[in-house]
């Protein structure tokens, strides 16, 4: 009898834990998706993600070498945000660029993404309290800001203008589906 009760309460406890875990996951997904889904068209959504990414860089740049745990947490956030962003751009936007004749532009942006991954790899291999951590973060930020400006000011507006309203809407949908794979 006692054994049965214990088993049942364990099962209830495990179910509650599972529910809490699912809820936390849903909240995390909502939080990660919010800037994208609230922004509307694909290019506005990507610009909103750029701003959210730069806000993470701001927070890392405010840390000191002694804040290694905080740095590690922020680096994980940065990796997650950039993984989702890269999937959206590479699997939908850059592919659409090539379809519409912007092959060199797409290849150039794609090559930049390789270096984004390079920076993330090097930062992850480094102790978060290393004196070279912040200088590397600053180099990374400079590189990524140039990349974002090219996208926002030159390449994305051109593609958006080339596409009809329906094509832009379809691209937004395709991009959001890519983003959902990772969030
Ligand atoms: Fe990009
Ligand atoms: Fe981007």
């Amino acid at each position: 009898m006692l054994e049965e009760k214990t088993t049942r309460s364990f099962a209830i406890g495990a179910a509650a834990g599972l529910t809490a875990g699912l809820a936390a996951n849903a909240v995390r997904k909502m939080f990660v998706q919010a800037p994208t889904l609230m922004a509307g068209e694909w290019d506005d959504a990507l610009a909103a993600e750029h701003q959210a990414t730069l806000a993470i860089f701001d927070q890392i740049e405010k840390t000191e070498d002694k804040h290694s745990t905080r740095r590690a947490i922020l680096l994980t956030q940065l990796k997650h945000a950039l993984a989702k962003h890269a999937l959206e751009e590479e699997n939908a936007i850059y592919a659409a660029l090539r379809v519409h004749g912007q092959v060199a532009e797409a290849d150039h942006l794609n090559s930049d993404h390789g270096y984004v991954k390079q920076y993330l790899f090097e930062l992850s291999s480094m102790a978060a309290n290393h004196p070279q951590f912040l200088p590397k973060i600053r180099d990374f930020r400079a590189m990524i800001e140039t990349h974002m400006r090219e996208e926002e000011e030159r390449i994305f507006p051109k593609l958006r203008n080339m596409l009809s309203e329906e094509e832009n809407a379809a691209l937004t949908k395709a991009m959001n589906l890519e983003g959902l794979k990772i969030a």
Side-chain angles (χ1 to χ4, degrees):
M1 184 66 187
L2 178 63
E3 197 185 321
E4 191 190 321
K5 202 174 166 192
T6 313
T7 311
R8 199 185 311 137
S9 65
F10 174 76
I12 292 168
L18 182 64
T19 310
L22 288 174
N25 200 32
V27 168
R28 185 178 61 82
K29 279 195 177 218
M30 231 159 57
F31 178 75
V32 171
Q33 287 300 326
T36 323
L37 296 178
M38 281 161 62
E41 288 276 15
W42 62 269
D43 54 340
D44 298 325
L46 292 174
E49 288 187 2
H50 290 167
Q51 288 314 306
T53 301
L54 292 179
I56 302 174
F57 273 100
D58 285 342
Q59 290 189 58
I60 298 176
E61 285 176 90
K62 277 187 212 148
T63 61
E64 295 169 30
D65 289 347
K66 63 185 176 188
H67 304 135
S68 53
T69 307
R70 179 154 176 74
R71 275 187 191 169
I73 292 168
L74 289 167
L75 184 61
T76 301
Q77 284 181 19
L78 189 61
K79 275 190 203 168
H80 190 261
L82 287 171
K84 173 179 181 264
H85 192 76
L87 212 60
E88 290 168 334
E89 291 189 336
E90 291 167 18
N91 293 12
I93 310 304
Y94 298 176
L97 277 170
R98 292 190 189 92
V99 167
H100 291 87
Q102 310 296 299
V103 176
E105 288 80 354
D107 290 351
H108 162 66
L109 293 175
N110 208 77
S111 156
D112 283 351
H113 281 196
Y115 287 93
V116 167
K117 284 161 190 159
Q118 185 68 29
Y119 272 112
L120 289 172
F121 175 79
E122 289 181 19
L123 284 161
S124 304
S125 323
M126 194 178 228
N129 62 357
H130 195 284
Q132 283 308 307
F133 189 90
L134 276 193
K136 197 176 272 293
I137 279 283
R138 291 191 196 104
D139 285 352
F140 183 15
R141 185 194 184 123
M143 177 262 157
I144 214 166
E145 278 196 284
T146 304
H147 175 85
M148 287 169 174
R149 267 198 303 276
E150 276 190 284
E151 289 182 335
E152 287 184 36
E153 293 171 13
R154 188 167 65 83
I155 301 175
F156 290 175
K158 191 173 169 189
L159 179 64
R160 183 161 168 176
N161 287 333
M162 286 171 88
L163 302 183
S164 68
E165 207 174 306
E166 294 74 33
E167 286 171 325
N168 275 309
L171 187 54
T172 300
K173 199 175 164 194
M175 185 196 80
N176 285 335
L177 284 173
E178 292 300 330
L180 282 168
K181 284 182 189 168
I182 223 170

